[in-house]
Amino acid sequence: MNKQPRVVILGSGPAGLTAAIYLARAGLKPVLYEGTQPGGQLTLTTEVENFPGFVNGIQGGDLMDNTRAQAERFGTEFSWAEIVSTDLSERPFKLHTSEGKDILADVLVIATGATARWLGLESEKRLQGRGVSACATCDGFFFRDLEVAVVGGGDSAIEEATFLTRFASKVTLIHRRDEFRASKVMQARAFKNEKIEILFNKGVEEVLGTDAVTGLRLRDTVTGEESVLKVDGLFLGIGHTPNTAIFGDQLAKDGTGYLITTPGSTHTSIPGVFAAGDVQDSIYRQAITAAGSGCMAALDAEKWLESLEEG
Ligand SMILES: Cc1cc2nc3c(=O)[nH]c(=O)nc-3n(C[C@H](O)[C@H](O)[C@H](O)COP(=O)(O)OP(=O)(O)OC[C@H]3O[C@@H](n4cnc5c(N)ncnc54)[C@H](O)[C@@H]3O)c2cc1C
């Protein structure tokens, strides 16, 4: 390819912005579409204490602002638009934006992330980052010797609850039904953990607290009876949805919609399309792993472009 290839990145979380830094420094002038959540999921949280290089932690929003500025410094072009549909059937790939524009890409890095599932309560949204979290690995540390609740009934809820017992003095696992969906092994782990108390047939109606979580208003799903549970934190363990709907069936996905990449690389099922971050990772889901795979996607994309030139 003799002319400058059109390199497009979707997503402005740690994966997309890291890919942008590498691609821009390689002189490939990437164009990055930020979507409706500029900065990605980290903008939903306050203190980030586990991103290497920040001894005293850093606010999630500041980390992403800095990373964006770094990508811009090397020549990344940014657009606020969201991509609403794609045609990956031939190269150049065609992408349609929320502003009604059609854009072409010779290389595409998908870093559209995943969206944690929330209960959808106003009080839950207001207290996000103030005691309400969707990531025990990220925020469990802040609840040392405090009491927390986890909502959910699958493997991930039990995993989050078990992990939180390392910090919290008590973890209440709240589930709407009278039995868990989780595997028997996971259930056994929860039942035998003395720090975990299980509340079946309960739904969360409201997260209580003004500036920080102080408790939950619960409703019994069988009797309708209301009660208040005093807790200092609420963790959602009801899963994540990868943001892959705009690709339809064009790319290989797993049973829950995560993009499948060739092991050890970021190549998707279509040559020239690369995936990085939470959109292809249902396991680690951390800013540093997302950033790491963003770097991998940029290097994979560069090598792929070189191979086109050689061929
Ligand atoms: C409350 C909370 C706290 C967390 N705390 C920590 C922590 O302390 N430490 C840690 O390491 N991790 C933490 N995480 C996890 C971390 O935020 C994620 O692992 C990481 O942000 C994933 O990065 P990503 O770039 O893959 O995607 P995301 O951050 O999810 O970003 C996705 C990007 O894609 C864009 N996008 C989506 N669809 C489109 C589209 N159609 N067109 C264009 N753009 C699109 C969005 O606008 C967004 O910019 C936390 C997560 C949450 C929810």
Side-chain angles (χ1 to χ4, degrees):
M1 193 176 291
N2 292 325
K3 65 177 178 54
Q4 174 84 40
R6 288 158 293 197
V7 178
V8 173
I9 301 167
L10 307 186
S12 53
L17 290 174
T18 305
I21 292 170
Y22 277 78
L23 287 164
R25 287 192 78 244
L28 287 165
K29 296 188 172 39
V31 180
L32 185 148
Y33 287 82
E34 303 206 44
T36 53
Q37 192 178 50
Q41 292 172 69
L42 275 192
T43 59
L44 297 176
T45 192
T46 47
E47 195 81 16
V48 176
E49 290 197 325
N50 55 9
F51 200 89
F54 299 93
V55 186
N56 299 313
I58 181 168
Q59 295 290 306
D62 292 345
L63 178 60
M64 298 322 296
D65 285 349
N66 291 348
T67 316
R68 187 185 190 280
Q70 197 176 351
E72 197 163 29
R73 180 180 150 219
F74 296 115
T76 303
E77 191 187 311
F78 287 89
S79 164
W80 293 104
E82 183 189 12
I83 301 303
V84 290
S85 63
T86 59
D87 176 359
L88 310 179
S89 59
E90 56 179 4
R91 277 199 311 275
F93 307 118
K94 291 183 199 65
L95 312 171
H96 191 66
T97 76
S98 48
E99 295 168 335
K101 286 191 192 146
D102 284 314
I103 53 167
L104 299 176
D106 296 305
V107 177
L108 184 62
V109 174
I110 299 170
T112 48
T115 308
R117 291 193 202 119
W118 303 91
L119 297 170
L121 304 169
E122 185 282 325
S123 53
E124 167 197 53
K125 195 163 188 188
R126 183 169 48 78
L127 290 164
Q128 259 176 38
R130 294 186 163 85
V132 175
S133 173
C135 180
T137 313
C138 315
D139 296 329
F141 190 79
F142 298 117
F143 293 87
R144 194 169 286 282
D145 299 327
L146 297 175
E147 298 192 5
V148 300
V150 175
V151 173
D155 277 355
S156 61
I158 295 187
E159 206 166 300
E160 303 268 284
T162 309
F163 177 78
L164 286 165
T165 59
R166 294 191 199 177
F167 314 97
S169 52
K170 182 180 168 193
V171 178
T172 306
L173 190 50
I174 300 170
H175 186 39
R176 294 187 64 80
R177 299 183 219 298
D178 60 1
E179 59 180 356
F180 290 125
R181 280 190 324 279
S183 62
K184 292 280 174 268
V185 179
M186 292 299 281
Q187 294 195 34
R189 200 184 284 179
F191 286 127
K192 76 165 194 243
N193 191 319
E194 285 174 1
K195 277 193 177 180
I196 297 181
E197 184 179 323
I198 295 164
L199 287 184
F200 282 124
N201 293 328
K202 295 278 188 289
V204 177
E205 294 280 299
E206 187 184 357
V207 187
L208 305 172
T210 311
D211 297 323
V213 174
T214 55
L216 304 174
R217 186 161 58 80
L218 305 177
R219 186 184 294 279
D220 191 294
T221 53
V222 179
T223 65
E225 198 180 314
E226 282 197 359
S227 58
V228 168
L229 177 73
K230 200 188 125 324
V231 285
D232 306 289
L234 171 66
F235 285 83
L236 284 303
I238 50 180
H240 289 73
T241 306
N243 301 320
T244 53
I246 53 167
F247 309 111
D249 294 332
Q250 301 176 93
L251 291 164
K253 295 176 185 171
D254 72 8
T256 43
Y258 284 88
L259 296 182
I260 296 175
T261 50
T262 311
S265 88
T266 60
H267 289 263
T268 66
S269 54
I270 295 182
V273 180
F274 302 86
D278 284 14
V279 73
Q280 51 83 57
D281 170 19
S282 60
I283 299 171
Y284 301 106
R285 295 197 300 247
Q286 291 294 291
I288 187 68
T289 47
S293 66
C295 159
M296 288 168 65
L299 298 179
D300 286 343
E302 275 176 53
K303 277 212 188 82
W304 183 80
L305 281 168
E306 275 167 23
S307 74
L308 284 189
E309 273 165 26
E310 284 158 13

